[in-house]
Amino acid sequence: MFPIQYEEPVFRPPSEGKSYLIQVTIGCSNNMCTYCDMYRSKKYRERSFLEIEKDLMNSKAYFDKIGIYPSRLFLCDGDALGASQDLLVKTLKLINKLFPELERVGIYATAQNMLDKTEEQLKELVSLKLNIAYLGLESGNDKILHMIVKKNTQKDMIEGSQKLIEAGFKLSVIAMLGIGGKELSKQHIQDTAYVVSKISPHYFSFLTTIAIPGTPYFKMVERGRIDPLTCKELFFEMKEILNGIKPSRRILFRANHVSNQFPLGGSLPEDTDMIKRTLDDWMKNTPEGVYPPIPPSM
């Protein structure tokens, strides 16, 4: 029998596919983003250390029994970096005690999480192997961020991210293709490229915006307030955002989420021209007026 009973649904980034998952928080502290239905069935709360300790001790006994141990661990749910410093430190100290060979611990974060923690607190977390965070930037444009109820501004995203990186974290930033619709596509391209350039995260990826039934974003599309992008327009948006990114460090780029039409990747800026040529070919071979299908797993 598996040692943990998760409070489902549980999510993690694609790159954490082989990581062991521990829930530190349940749900998402914002849980108002118009496009997202991931945690709408949950009420946000921090788990008690006793709950987390039980999961970790049961997990340790399980791994001792099978003789295999995780090399990576990911702290769930939606923005566990927002948990209290005391809870995070206690959890990480126990993790390090039980799994001393662990390579790293990852976590989802928001700009607000980053801003709320002091530099000293972030450095303390890094010293306990919590050293990679995932930020859903979605867009660098303030009008779009307001529209999707992200509750943070362009300035917050930049300052919070820079603070996290300076503390020693590796940062993975996610942007959403098509999130502003046709009307705001130009602003989305320009401002997202600007913000990613200013942050220069270690990793950068794209998801494709899907209007999921039941979400406020879906209703906005239904009512004509947002005009979705076609496949060709999504390729163009990706190309132009990448063309505008001028990073201060090498960025590992991926667009391989299930929502994306085709997998794509490389290093920025070294592979930018190659990626742009690929996108030009895709645009050339994509008919006008075709929209991406909703992936079955969504």
Side-chain angles (χ1 to χ4, degrees), residues 64-177:
D64 283 342
K65 184 177 180 179
I66 65 174
I68 301 174
Y69 299 91
S71 60
R72 294 181 177 182
L73 196 147
F74 186 78
L75 302 183
C76 305
D77 267 341
D79 58 332
L81 188 64
S84 70
Q85 184 74 2
D86 180 64
L87 181 62
L88 288 172
V89 168
K90 283 181 178 178
T91 298
L92 289 166
K93 284 183 175 178
L94 182 56
I95 287 170
N96 279 275
K97 179 180 177 181
L98 298 178
F99 306 108
E101 301 304 318
L102 204 65
E103 294 174 5
R104 77 178 195 197
V105 182
I107 201 164
Y108 278 130
T110 67
Q112 198 60 50
N113 298 158
M114 300 172 184
L115 293 169
D116 286 345
K117 291 278 191 293
T118 67
E119 184 179 350
E120 291 72 25
Q121 287 175 326
L122 292 172
K123 287 181 177 179
E124 182 180 25
L125 299 177
V126 171
S127 73
L128 294 170
K129 295 186 181 177
L130 179 57
N131 48 25
I132 183 167
Y134 298 81
L135 169 69
L137 168 67
E138 325 315 3
S139 176
N141 178 262
D142 278 340
K143 186 172 182 178
I144 295 174
L145 291 172
H146 178 74
M147 179 185 75
I148 62 176
V149 197
K150 196 67 182 175
K151 287 191 175 179
N152 283 113
T153 64
Q154 177 192 97
K155 182 174 180 286
D156 295 335
M157 296 290 188
I158 294 171
E159 290 183 356
S161 297
Q162 290 176 338
K163 182 179 180 182
L164 202 78
I165 291 172
E166 288 170 6
F169 274 83
K170 289 189 181 299
L171 181 62
S172 180
V173 169
I174 303 100
M176 297 182 69
L177 295 170

Side-chain angles (χ1 to χ4, degrees), residues 50-69:
L50 290 177
E51 291 177 289
I52 299 168
E53 181 181 39
K54 180 180 177 181
D55 280 351
L56 287 170
M57 297 303 292
N58 287 343
S59 298
K60 169 65 172 170
Y62 172 79
F63 289 122
D64 283 342
K65 184 177 180 179
I66 65 174
I68 301 174
Y69 299 91

